[in-house]
Amino acid sequence: MAFPEKMLNHGEELLIDTHPHWWVFSGVSVRLVLAIVIAVAGASQFDDNTFVNGVGIALILFAVLNLAFVYVKWRTTDFVLTTDRLVTRSGILSRQTREIPLERINDLACHQSLFERVIHAGDLMIESAGERGQQTFSNVADPFAMQNTIHQAIEGATTPRPANAADSIPEQIEKLDELRQRGVISQAEFDDKKRRLLDRL
């Protein structure tokens, strides 16, 4: 599912909105092929055997349902990068959202096995300031390219934007309010920084 534009903050831009690597379908696809092979082999060996044919059909149906479940789970799992934060969303019936502000990311690391290098997949480890510490995201498509893009987004988020001082203060207050709403800074910190900015007008 695409990341809704209404969830973007004022001035925030969407950089990446992607799903896990297609490799997540490998296991269920193999099981579906095996179920078809077993069903066909059983039907050819035990001709007109209702029980054997029923078992074969049941195996195929189970494999198809399993594949459909994995597909829906894949479609509802998002890895989103914006100019302000990194967001992961998952869940079919109930949605789970994890959000990491770019300014709180301390370190990025990637891991790929030899096979994952061939198919351009891997794990992305993100260390951030907060309760969660290091988080690992598996089955990321082209994790090293993702790592570079996140680094560029962090640099863009921390680089001061040239602007007229009188115009930048309201923008800074709005940015601080967004951080307060997301729990990055407390209400007291917001009030203190807002007062200091207003004193400069």
Side-chain angles (χ1 to χ4, degrees):
M1 298 177 66
F3 190 73
E5 290 188 6
K6 64 181 181 180
M7 294 186 65
L8 294 174
N9 298 319
H10 177 70
E12 184 179 18
E13 297 179 10
L14 183 65
L15 301 178
I16 294 176
D17 184 2
T18 186
H19 302 295
H21 193 271
W22 57 263
W23 180 246
V24 298
F25 294 105
S26 60
V28 290
S29 299
V30 169
R31 285 193 287 272
L32 176 58
V33 172
L34 287 176
I36 294 174
V37 170
I38 292 172
V40 171
S44 62
Q45 289 292 326
F46 302 94
D47 191 26
D48 294 330
N49 189 311
T50 305
F51 176 76
V52 173
N53 291 338
V55 171
I57 293 173
L59 287 174
I60 293 175
L61 287 176
F62 178 78
V64 169
L65 290 175
N66 195 9
L67 178 61
F69 174 79
V70 172
Y71 173 77
V72 173
K73 185 177 180 181
W74 175 82
R75 284 288 299 173
T76 54
T77 300
D78 303 306
F79 191 93
V80 178
L81 175 66
T82 74
T83 50
D84 292 341
R85 53 191 165 140
L86 182 65
V87 182
T88 58
R89 303 192 306 157
S90 61
I92 299 175
L93 298 178
S94 60
R95 298 288 282 170
Q96 179 182 2
T97 301
R98 290 189 291 179
E99 180 178 313
I100 307 175
L102 295 183
E103 61 266 22
R104 303 192 71 174
I105 295 178
N106 297 327
D107 187 41
L108 292 168
C110 293
H111 176 267
Q112 283 182 311
S113 65
L114 179 60
F115 178 72
E116 286 175 329
R117 291 176 61 184
V118 174
I119 64 173
H120 300 288
D123 299 334
L124 182 63
M125 285 76 75
I126 300 177
E127 184 177 325
S128 62
E131 296 180 358
R132 293 184 180 271
Q134 187 181 80
Q135 300 181 57
T136 300
F137 301 94
S138 302
N139 296 313
V140 176
D142 205 347
F144 285 99
M146 180 72 72
Q147 182 186 29
N148 291 334
T149 304
I150 295 174
H151 274 304
Q152 293 172 5
I154 292 173
E155 292 177 2
T158 56
T159 301
R161 300 175 185 174
N164 182 278
D167 294 335
S168 65
I169 289 177
E171 293 176 359
Q172 292 179 51
I173 293 175
E174 187 173 8
K175 180 72 173 180
L176 288 170
D177 187 48
E178 292 173 1
L179 294 176
R180 179 189 61 80
Q181 293 177 19
R182 291 178 1 219
V184 177
I185 62 175
S186 65
Q187 180 67 47
E189 290 174 319
F190 169 75
D191 292 337
D192 180 61
K193 293 180 183 296
K194 178 181 177 181
R195 178 181 55 79
R196 293 184 183 183
L197 288 171
L198 291 176
D199 288 342
R200 290 163 52 187
L201 288 175

